[in-house]
Amino acid sequence: MKELAGRLATVDPDAGAAVRVIAYFDALTENRAGLEALLRGAAVLAGCPARLVDTDRQVRLRVTPDGRRTGVDTATEPGWPSVPLVPNGPPALWLERPESGPSVVDAVILERAAHAVRTVLDRTRGRAPGRADPDPALVETVLDATAPEPARLLAARGLGLDTADPSLRCRAVAAAQGPPRVVPAGHRPDPQGGGPPAGRLGVGPAVRVLDLPRSWAAARAALRFTAEGGAQDPGQRVVHADDLGGIALLTELIAPGAEPPPDVLAVEAAAADAPWMLGTLHAVATTASLRAAAAEVSVHHSTLQDRLLHAEHLLGWPVRTPQGRFRLQLALTMRQLARGQ
């Protein structure tokens, strides 16, 4: 590689420098260098400070050309050369060089440094949420309680999980449509941040790598409590097992696809009577007051009272008393569980 770089330098100095950059970062990667060493290499090669910020994995690092690590306490400048760590992601690695036109060498430094940094982060802190889908066979093995422990550890390392880190925690995610996933403990799929999820999701608790089968079982149970979120299936599209508490025990009582309990049949009959029924009942069951429920479905308080009189007649029990409201909550929950995944 050194000989090739020397020959190229006599023809094209930038090409020779680019080859030397590639060889430099390949050597660091082969020797399993850490993040600070990689960023120091980028700063020294570029002759300016290098900065790494990965908010998903809580990494903030800055190194100056003389090799000193400093705090990241200033904002980035729009003109600094930068690259993302994931396809179509936000910039995460910068060379703090004032805008001075495109540089082939800077581009190569950023590309090779980003590749090396990504490898280290995947190995030590788990894959970022924006990465491409991992090998489904590896995920399946990690989540399989019947797989031997060595096989699960090997699969976890194949997914970029640092099994030697005793503090590492991950979550299993079950999707109504799509393969299972394993995400870092700090990553909570949430429709309130970044847009709605792609379909319904059940999220398991944060556990050690070898306990992921337990997180997977809880994620699958949480998935049964999800809803599409529309007028005919109101409810949460993402449910976390951590938030269920004792309600999760209902999954052992209501078998998917079994004959629904009588209260669920009553809810279904009422829903067939009016298109607003399910949304109104869900609002009453999940808000703090009837006025809040009226605001939730965008009707006047008196209109809500009229609707509830009609609903109570169809259901056969009151929904405006504490006991009746609790019965309604159970009925709506059992309706989700009875339909299966």
Side-chain angles (χ1 to χ4, degrees):
M1 185 68 76
K2 291 182 179 179
E3 182 180 352
L4 175 60
R7 291 181 179 180
L8 285 174
T10 62
V11 179
D12 185 337
D14 282 348
V19 171
R20 283 192 291 270
V21 168
I22 294 171
Y24 179 80
F25 281 107
D26 283 352
L28 288 178
T29 301
E30 184 177 351
N31 291 321
R32 298 172 72 86
L35 294 177
E36 186 172 341
L38 293 172
L39 212 59
R40 183 180 298 112
V44 171
L45 290 172
C48 65
R51 177 184 303 210
L52 170 65
V53 177
D54 185 340
T55 55
D56 286 326
R57 289 175 285 202
Q58 300 181 350
V59 177
R60 296 174 63 84
L61 184 62
R62 180 178 184 269
V63 178
T64 59
D66 59 3
R68 291 184 301 109
R69 176 172 178 167
T70 67
V72 181
D73 52 8
T74 58
T76 59
E77 296 291 337
W80 290 350
S82 63
V83 291
L85 291 182
V86 298
N88 302 315
L93 182 64
W94 290 265
L95 296 178
E96 298 183 10
R97 189 192 305 284
E99 188 171 10
S100 58
S103 165
V104 173
V105 176
D106 281 354
V108 175
I109 291 173
L110 285 170
E111 191 276 330
R112 299 309 296 176
H115 174 77
V117 164
R118 196 161 52 236
T119 300
V120 173
L121 288 174
D122 285 353
R123 186 178 73 241
T124 61
R125 307 198 183 199
R127 292 176 181 265
R131 290 296 306 275
D133 291 337
D135 185 342
L138 295 179
V139 176
E140 182 178 330
T141 301
V142 167
L143 301 180
D144 185 0
T146 66
E149 182 175 309
R152 283 189 278 139
L153 288 173
L154 182 62
R157 287 193 288 270
L159 293 172
L161 303 177
D162 184 7
T163 56
D165 182 359
S167 67
L168 178 65
R169 296 294 184 270
C170 303
R171 300 178 187 273
V173 178
Q177 296 180 339
R181 294 161 49 199
V182 173
V183 300
H187 177 58
R188 285 174 61 94
D190 186 352
Q192 300 305 318
R200 298 183 288 114
L201 300 176
V203 185
V207 298
R208 298 179 305 166
V209 169
L210 286 177
D211 291 330
L212 277 169
R214 176 168 63 84
S215 182
W216 172 237
R220 292 172 63 192
L223 179 62
R224 295 183 59 195
F225 288 90
T226 61
E228 294 295 342
Q232 298 308 307
D233 192 20
Q236 296 175 288
R237 299 182 71 189
V238 178
V239 172
H240 298 266
D242 291 334
D243 300 332
L244 290 175
I247 298 176
L249 296 175
L250 288 175
T251 59
E252 301 176 12
L253 303 176
I254 310 297
E259 178 69 17
D263 281 0
V264 174
L265 295 176
V267 168
E268 295 289 6
D273 182 80
W276 48 260
M277 184 65 70
L278 283 175
T280 299
L281 293 178
H282 180 266
V284 170
T286 57
T287 55
S289 66
L290 291 183
R291 291 197 178 276
E296 179 74 17
V297 294
S298 302
V299 299
H300 192 271
H301 183 259
S302 61
T303 302
L304 179 68
Q305 293 286 358
D306 292 339
R307 286 187 177 186
L308 294 184
L309 279 173
H310 183 61
E312 290 172 341
H313 173 72
L314 295 173
L315 292 172
W317 76 84
V319 298
R320 288 170 287 181
T321 64
Q323 181 178 355
R325 185 168 178 261
F326 177 63
R327 184 175 176 180
L328 176 61
Q329 290 173 330
L330 280 179
L332 292 173
T333 299
M334 291 189 295
R335 177 177 179 267
Q336 292 172 328
L337 296 176
R339 72 178 177 193
Q341 304 268 41

